[in-house]
Amino acid sequence: MQHRFILAAALFVSTTAAWAQVPAPAVKQAKATLLTGATLHVGNGQVVEGAAVAFNNGKITYAGPAAGFNAGGTAYETVNVNGKHIYPGMILPNSQLGLTEIESVRATLDQQEVGDFNPNVRSVVAYNTDSDITPTLRSNGVLMAQVTPVGGTISGSSSVVQLDAWNWEDALVKADGGVHLRWPAMVQTGDASPQATQRRQAREADLQELESLLAEAKVYKNQKNDRENLKLSSLTGLFDGSKKLFIHANYGKEIVEAARFAQKAGIKDMVIVGAADALVVADFLKENNIPVIYSGVHALPARSGDDVYLPYKMPGMLQKAGLLFCLDYDASLHGSRNLPFIAGTAVAFGLPKEQALSSVTLNAAKILGVDQQVGSVEVGKDASLVVSEGDILDMRTNKISYAFIQGRKLNLTDKQKYLYEKFDTKYNQEGKQVQ
């Protein structure tokens, strides 16, 4: 009995130590705050030297030259950030953050539901606010994410969350704003093998089922229903513009085919996710006002004959083509903290620096439908912003001094900092003993 008690106590202590690496969410803003002396990067392309940013009750009340600030009778707590840089909090789209923790442990994986057609799946209800990964993103200036399901043809709905909350309800910025469609891959027409024929038939069956499901949802929307059909009701927002269809497709023909399919079904707003061939069909996307979430900056070119630097150059080329786009980080979930640095890579290969910032802030907010709340440092928006000692897009100078979500000052401790300090102490102690 005593042995069991000791074992239970040991487990409790080890669990407590592990969870202690995830800081408790910040308390609601109690005092009006004024950041002064920094260079302000608004997020919309504007830069203000010697700026001041004020916020109260979680909202920005002033953003502009420090000389123009007027407290208007409000007592502001002043924070001198002279020589530093103020940025809007970055937004990570198309992410399984909070849905996946340890890939080899099935109990920590909540990103996918069984079946091919799951429009009624709400990914946000499985969102884990206590993920060890989340604080590592905040430490680099990423303060929001689009929690996105995977798998099947229709994976479910995504929501936008802020990354400092006790539970998923507190985290919500926009609930169930997008339905995710993974467009069935085309099969090479010249391939007559049994395997190719089987894949072609399966693809045709998927498209027929998808067409039927969307047609049923459109009818369901326009009639009175005594009993709710969750699958159909979750799709009705696609027909009045209250939801967006996020189409995951990479190749040019698939992008055009999927967009035309959605238009024929009566869907108003859509976004292409992945979009490796976005430049190939740029005229089509621009003509139809379809934005892009580009996924492959840190990836190999799709074709052997492509310029080896094409993925790095793609954001700059999309900008020149006049497309609305943002960047995501799909290389690995644990690497998502590197979102600012893929934007920095794009700067090195032709994308202007402030447009690169927009590609992970305001552009992402526009595409996700939350630009009235976040995405830029402007009066009336949420005070979700960061202060960096240097260029936030540069791995060498990105050092976050302060971060605020809705005016709440965040604790920037994370697991990696904890481990660094732990082993830095260990080896410093060993070095002194050797001496």
Side-chain angles (χ1 to χ4, degrees):
M1 187 71 178
Q2 185 179 9
H3 174 73
R4 289 181 182 178
F5 176 80
I6 294 171
L7 178 60
L11 287 171
F12 175 78
V13 170
S14 63
T15 303
T16 303
W19 282 111
Q21 296 163 15
V22 181
V27 297
K28 186 177 180 180
Q29 182 183 8
K31 296 180 180 179
T33 302
L34 172 66
L35 306 177
T36 184
T39 299
L40 169 61
H41 302 261
V42 178
N44 59 5
Q46 297 179 355
V47 179
V48 181
E49 301 287 347
V53 175
F55 47 95
N56 192 16
N57 295 321
K59 296 291 183 180
I60 297 172
T61 56
Y62 179 82
F69 174 69
N70 183 352
T74 303
Y76 282 88
E77 180 181 18
T78 301
V79 180
N80 188 344
V81 288
N82 188 44
K84 299 183 180 182
H85 299 259
I86 300 174
Y87 297 91
M90 285 174 281
I91 304 170
L92 175 68
N94 185 34
S95 173
Q96 285 73 60
L97 181 68
L99 303 180
T100 300
E101 193 72 14
I102 305 170
E103 292 184 2
S104 60
V105 180
R106 179 64 187 88
T108 70
L109 307 180
D110 289 315
Q111 78 276 22
Q112 182 173 347
E113 188 54 87
V114 175
D116 289 332
F117 293 87
N118 298 299
N120 53 303
V121 167
R122 302 180 64 215
S123 60
V124 74
V125 300
Y127 174 64
N128 174 23
T129 55
D130 289 318
S131 170
D132 273 341
I133 303 170
T134 301
T136 69
L137 272 70
R138 299 197 305 245
S139 294
N140 276 357
V142 181
L143 304 186
M144 282 154 284
Q146 180 194 30
V147 180
T148 304
V150 299
T153 302
I154 298 183
S155 307
S157 66
S158 62
S159 297
V160 181
V161 297
Q162 51 87 2
L163 304 186
D164 185 63
W166 287 104
N167 51 56
W168 67 264
E169 292 100 330
D170 293 342
L172 274 174
V173 176
K174 183 172 184 177
D176 307 318
V179 175
H180 289 260
L181 168 61
R182 315 228 166 221
W183 191 250
M186 287 182 166
V187 182
Q188 190 174 353
T189 54
D191 189 347
S193 66
Q195 294 85 354
T197 301
Q198 188 176 8
R199 291 199 305 272
R200 202 173 287 114
Q201 291 172 347
R203 181 178 193 270
E204 186 60 33
D206 277 351
L207 292 178
Q208 288 178 1
E209 186 170 352
L210 177 60
E211 183 177 16
S212 175
L213 182 63
L214 291 174
E216 286 182 49
K218 194 171 185 179
V219 172
Y220 179 87
K221 179 183 184 300
N222 296 319
Q223 66 183 19
K224 185 177 180 181
N225 301 285
D226 296 329
R227 180 177 295 180
E228 183 179 14
N229 183 314
L230 290 177
K231 279 196 172 184
L232 298 182
S233 64
S234 62
L235 292 170
T236 56
L238 296 174
F239 304 107
D240 59 20
S242 60
K243 287 187 177 183
K244 294 186 179 184
L245 180 65
F246 289 81
I247 302 171
H248 295 251
N250 275 302
Y251 295 106
K253 287 184 178 179
E254 293 174 357
I255 291 171
V256 173
E257 181 188 39
R260 286 178 173 164
F261 182 97
Q263 289 170 339
K264 183 180 177 181
I267 293 172
K268 295 181 177 297
D269 293 324
M270 65 194 81
V271 178
I272 304 299
V273 184
D277 272 355
L279 196 63
V280 177
V281 292
D283 290 342
F284 172 81
L285 294 172
K286 189 174 180 180
E287 180 183 339
N288 290 275
N289 196 30
I290 300 174
V292 163
I293 298 177
Y294 182 65
S295 299
V297 176
H298 284 182
L300 293 172
R303 299 175 179 83
S304 59
D306 287 344
D307 178 358
V308 69
Y309 296 117
L310 180 61
Y312 299 162
K313 296 176 181 177
M314 186 64 74
M317 297 166 82
L318 294 176
Q319 177 76 20
K320 289 179 181 177
L323 294 179
L324 175 61
F325 74 96
C326 69
L327 303 177
D328 79 359
Y329 192 93
D330 69 342
S332 74
L333 176 59
H334 289 76
S336 297
R337 63 185 181 277
N338 293 320
L339 178 68
F341 309 137
I342 66 167
T345 299
V347 172
F349 286 84
L351 183 63
K353 184 174 290 186
E354 295 308 315
Q355 278 66 48
L357 177 64
S358 294
S359 74
V360 289
T361 55
L362 186 56
N363 285 4
K366 288 178 179 177
I367 290 171
L368 301 181
V370 293
D371 55 303
Q372 297 301 310
Q373 298 167 257
V374 294
S376 59
V377 184
E378 298 180 88
V379 174
K381 290 191 175 184
D382 288 354
S384 295
L385 49 91
V386 294
V387 178
S388 174
E389 292 189 10
D391 183 354
I392 202 171
L393 304 184
D394 188 335
M395 189 178 291
R396 298 167 300 176
T397 58
N398 175 311
K399 187 174 181 182
I400 307 302
S401 304
Y402 303 98
F404 302 88
I405 291 180
Q406 297 167 349
R408 297 177 289 111
K409 184 180 177 182
L410 305 188
N411 181 339
L412 294 175
T413 301
D414 62 51
K415 184 175 182 179
Q416 293 181 342
K417 290 179 180 177
Y418 165 80
L419 292 174
Y420 171 82
E421 291 169 2
K422 174 181 177 180
F423 288 100
D424 182 58
T425 301
K426 168 182 166 61
Y427 292 119
N428 279 336
Q429 288 174 346
E430 289 181 356
K432 290 177 181 177
Q433 290 172 359
V434 169
Q435 292 175 1

